[in-house]
Amino acid sequence: MPTNFTVVPVEAQGGERDSAERDAWRQEEEEDNRDRGSGDGISRESSPFINSAEMDRGNMYEGKNMALFEEEMDSNPMVSSLLNKLANYTNVTQGVVEHEADEDSKRKEVKVPRMGTFIGVYLPCLQNILGVILFLRLTWIVGTAGVLESFIIVFMCCACTMLTAISMSAIATNGVVPAGGSYYMISRSLGPEFGGAVGLCFYLGTTFAGAMYILGTIEILLTYISPSAAIFKAEEVGEETEAMLNNMRVYGTCIIILMAIVVFVGVKYVNKLALVFLACVILSIIAIYAGVIKTAIDPPDFPICLLGNRTLSKRSFDVCAKFTERNNETKTTNLWLLFCNSSLPTAMCDDYFSLNNVTEIQGIPGILSGVLIDNLWSTYSEKGSIVEKKNQPSVSGSEDIKIAGRPYVFTDIMTYFTVLVGIYFPSVTGIMAGSNRSGDLKDAQKSIPTGTILAISTTSFIYLSCIVLFGACIEGVVLRDKFGEAVNGNLVVGTLAWPSPWVIVIGSFFSTCGAGLQSLTGAPRLLQAIARDGIVPFIQVFGHGKANGEPTWALLLTAAICEIGILIASLDSVAPILSMFFLMCYMFVNLACAVQTLLRTPNWRPRFKYYHWTLSFLGMSLCLALMFICSWYYALIAMLIAGCIYKYIEYRGAEKEWGDGIRGLSLNAARYALLRVEDGPPHTKNWRPQLLVLLNLDCEQLVKHPRLLSFTSQLKAGKGLTIVGSVLQGTYLDKCVETQKAEENVKALMAVEKTKGFCQIVVSPSFRDGISHLIQSAGLGGMKHNTVLMAWPQSWKQTENHFSWKNFVDTVRETTAAQQALLVAKNIDLFPTNQERFTEGNIDVWWIVHDGGMLMLLPFLLRQHKVWRKCKMRIFTVAQMDDNSIQMKKDLQMFLYHLRLNAEVEVVEMFENDISAFTYEKTLMMEQRSQMLKQMQLSKNEREREIQSITDESRGSVRRKSCSSPQSIGQDVQALLNNDYDKEEAQLIHDRNTASRSAPAVKASVAAAMPEKVQMTWTKEKFVAEKHKNKDTNVSGFKDIFNMKPEWGNLNQSNVRRMHTAVKLNGVVLNKSQHAQLVLLNMPGPPKNRKGDENYMEFLEVLTEGLDRVLLVRGSGREVITIYS
């Protein structure tokens, strides 16, 4: 509660800062504020607790007493300024100026709260709860359902609103509630999605309530005040209902236009007349109780005419008899003419009319008559059936003539319990009228609970007592007579009132008019509040209005929606519609209270203590049950509308962070789920790639390879865990702003590429350590990544970037040590975007070694996405010399069949042929480059000594090789001779500076390295022939060729073999998959000896040379795909 504070200023002990220093300080502060920002791009709520930028900072630091806290005062204000802002805080919705305020005055004034509990909450709730249903339908509900079932209906509805009021009181007393009432409470408790959905449903409910009140007004006018004012008349028997509905539509449209003009022009008159309308309601209720007391002394005279046990409508005749005595003559009455073909006593009459007597009973026998016993039980009926009195003697006749034209009282709708619940429930709505006025209350946290609960208790007593009193005072056939046709067209509840039925008629007419005006006043403001929150983009236009804040556009929309209810025209049909929307609103109020209570959030400290989460859940369950009891299809439609709005806000709406309970509930559910997830690896059937995507950022903190995120979304399709990580080099204190900027850029790109996941930016003194930290610590508990996705370092050969390959190879080693799979996308910039579609092509899988089956799983996941859906999957595997390729193909096809994968299978056989000269040259270039890289890190003297030692060692190795084992490379040299590979061409390959001119030789050597003929099956004869194929080669030329290339003898034979494998595999893959849309290859592991790391990069480069899109796959060592169900 705002309080007047007395602030004693502390005198400044020093002078002011000079102007230059202050200007510099202000400029620095502005820059800091711009840099700091909100961080997440989320707009925050205005609050008195946050130091505003408009505060005069020059006066804040004039003294030296607070110099110790000077640098922190931008974020941590002084207590004096905080208390000053608190004292001036108003909870009226910002930007809304009341209509009755002085429009000429432009200065902002703080509105002084002045209303207490009685005026501000109790009476408005009373006025909104007591209304049209009480006067027009409650007697009919009692007559149809009986006193007992009616009591159950009213008790259920009142219990629902009472439980909702308890939950609402807890929420309303948990802090300051600005004007906006229920919408504000729900949205701030359950979040913008629920708040917007339920707020709009509450708005629709309030709007349809306006339509219901207007229809009630017209019904009172045309049925009980001035029936002759009807425009449409029933020309034939049975058309009365249709004529009445048409009159409702015409008069309703006129009245809604008139009311909209009144609301637009003179809202202040509506507010001032509210007490007059409330006085009408209270006087009407007092008149009912007075009439009940009078029936015990002197019951009113309202005779009811019965034919047998059938109730007759007195609109068509005056005398309740078949014959009357006039001048000592017996003459037939008007009633006789309605059932007979002439006025003669011998006329042909209706069979039932002839066999039964006409009797007259009292419609209001009085409270002491004992009629309560007869009215205890229900009397449900079909549409068009006659209202009949129980326990009344009757003789049924043959109904030769239709009864439709007879003056009976008919039921207009089919009645059963659930229909009556839907029609009655709007009479207990209006419990939030007090909370909607929270901005005008002196002490909202005290007045809202007290006033609302007292109002519900009062109205519940009125409704429950009226049910018993109506059943005890009024005859059953009169209660079931909805429009009072048996009592000369009087309002049924009016017949009970004292001193005159007109008290009720006039009072109910003005109360329904006032309620309609109140709905047309409140609903546009509710829509305006939702629109100004900015959570539903398409209704933001309705947040605008006149200069004084009146919601003009919202009023027009409200009138248009209200017209839909008017066109329905039937009050009994409109009532269940608004019941749905109100029940949904109440259900979410209870849910909000229950969620906040169960979560025990630190900020949940309501002043109202008489609540419990079980009461909130009971209220929520009762609301949901009542929704489906009223009308299950209306309930589903209302829930569908709310669901659509929810998803729309979630998909398109502005991001809001209101500290809502649903977010807290999500955190609790996430915590519970994480604790439930076992820390160990999941079962093979549940395994899916949980990705850690390693991105590279440029100097502007922008992502270098956006296609990596495109590929991620294609691979994941929003399923499983995705963590997008990157590393900034430096210290966190220095890179704080850059980290924030990088995170925003990455999140923005993730939104564009529709990559659903989390972003994690790490600042580390070195890139290597940062990547290691990400691989080790990304994720939480059981939700950790099992696969790392990264791009191939294209610039690893550049001299200025000679450490990138070391980071890459170390990353490969760390993923292996962490038992995580690794995916390396080469030529990532050539990968498709999410908008591209491949209409044909293949995804080729080269299955060289088995490391868990990930090569099989990845194409299947990719083909779920639209980009790759039309690509076919092909699987290639390599057969060695002693393998049976035909059997391998059959086994592989059977394996894929059990895996439920559709793919073409091909087995490729590779010869154990000679190592080509091209392979030697590639290896030589690689090792020379490796030596060069090492020498770049040595000092001048060390470099010279290293070069000398390498030269000496190389020469000695050449001499030893030439003398000892010339056959080690004999077959390769012979192959070189056979291909006319002369000394000059080899020298061209050797020379790195002229590498471009050696391209034809390279192509020739690749062709030489490829097998001339692919054998589909190895036989024993072929094997022996291949083994002894080169026995007769000319050994005499070995030394000559060897002397031509002495460097070859110094090569590491392990590197030669590895290069041979890379060249051979690359040739085979190029032959089969050069035009494939994507090639997946087993990624060989790095050497155990770290001295050969740079050679490892060269091997991978040669292996994938000439391919457009390559995904190198290194499994985690565990099975990720299974043939079992």
Side-chain angles (χ1 to χ4, degrees), residues 475-734:
E475 180 60 51
V477 290
V478 180
L479 289 173
R480 293 193 296 278
D481 183 6
K482 185 186 287 187
F483 302 107
E485 296 178 33
V487 286
N488 300 320
N490 282 308
L491 184 61
V492 174
V493 70
T495 60
L496 183 63
W498 182 85
S500 167
W502 285 101
V503 175
I504 299 290
V505 172
I506 300 300
S508 60
F509 177 77
F510 281 113
S511 70
T512 50
C513 274
L517 281 172
Q518 291 284 355
S519 296
L520 282 181
T521 305
R525 279 163 176 72
L526 178 60
L527 181 63
Q528 186 182 45
I530 300 172
R532 286 185 171 178
D533 257 346
I535 59 174
V536 186
F538 70 86
I539 66 167
Q540 286 187 0
V541 65
F542 299 109
H544 306 297
K546 293 193 293 185
N548 61 355
E550 288 300 315
T552 310
W553 294 107
L555 177 62
L556 290 176
L557 180 66
T558 303
I561 296 174
C562 205
E563 177 64 20
I564 296 174
I566 297 297
L567 294 177
I568 295 174
S570 171
L571 188 146
D572 299 325
S573 300
V574 172
I577 296 176
L578 64 101
S579 294
M580 292 303 115
F581 293 124
F582 278 118
L583 278 167
M584 183 170 292
C585 179
Y586 297 164
M587 180 175 70
F588 280 102
V589 169
N590 285 297
L591 176 64
C593 181
V595 166
Q596 297 278 26
T597 307
L598 289 174
L599 288 178
R600 296 189 180 92
T601 50
N603 193 50
W604 179 246
R605 302 184 300 274
R607 291 188 179 276
F608 181 78
K609 301 298 181 184
Y610 306 101
Y611 71 95
H612 195 266
W613 67 267
T614 53
L615 294 177
S616 300
F617 265 113
L618 181 61
M620 184 180 67
S621 305
L622 194 54
C623 289
L624 187 62
L626 284 173
M627 284 178 69
F628 283 92
I629 286 173
C630 293
S631 173
W632 64 268
Y633 47 89
Y634 278 165
L636 291 177
I637 292 172
M639 294 173 82
L640 180 65
I641 292 172
C644 291
I645 298 170
Y646 178 94
K647 294 305 292 183
Y648 178 80
I649 296 172
E650 186 181 53
Y651 180 68
R652 294 288 305 275
E655 289 289 334
K656 298 286 181 181
E657 177 53 71
W658 287 332
D660 52 89
I662 291 297
R663 184 175 177 82
L665 188 64
S666 301
L667 290 173
N668 257 25
R671 170 184 163 274
Y672 176 77
L674 283 172
L675 291 174
R676 291 275 296 172
V677 174
E678 294 181 6
D679 199 26
H683 192 274
T684 305
K685 291 185 287 188
N686 296 326
W687 195 95
R688 67 166 57 247
Q690 317 286 9
L691 291 183
L692 169 62
V693 185
L694 298 178
L695 294 179
N696 290 328
L697 304 177
D698 58 17
C699 56
E700 297 293 329
Q701 315 306 330
L702 297 174
V703 178
K704 286 185 179 179
H705 303 294
R707 298 288 178 91
L708 199 59
L709 285 180
S710 304
F711 184 70
T712 302
S713 61
Q714 293 161 23
L715 183 62
K716 298 289 291 181
K719 302 294 190 299
L721 175 70
T722 302
I723 302 173
V724 180
S726 187
V727 178
L728 297 182
Q729 191 168 6
T731 60
Y732 186 72
L733 290 177
D734 298 333

Side-chain angles (χ1 to χ4, degrees), residues 154-167:
V154 175
F155 182 80
M156 276 198 312
C157 295
C158 291
C160 175
T161 54
M162 179 61 79
L163 293 171
T164 303
I166 291 172
S167 299

Side-chain angles (χ1 to χ4, degrees), residues 744-770:
E744 290 174 0
N745 292 339
V746 172
K747 284 183 177 179
L749 184 62
M750 288 173 67
V752 171
E753 299 293 345
K754 298 180 180 178
T755 305
K756 296 180 181 179
F758 308 99
C759 175
Q760 189 168 352
I761 307 295
V762 172
V763 181
S764 177
S766 69
F767 286 104
R768 178 70 211 91
D769 292 342

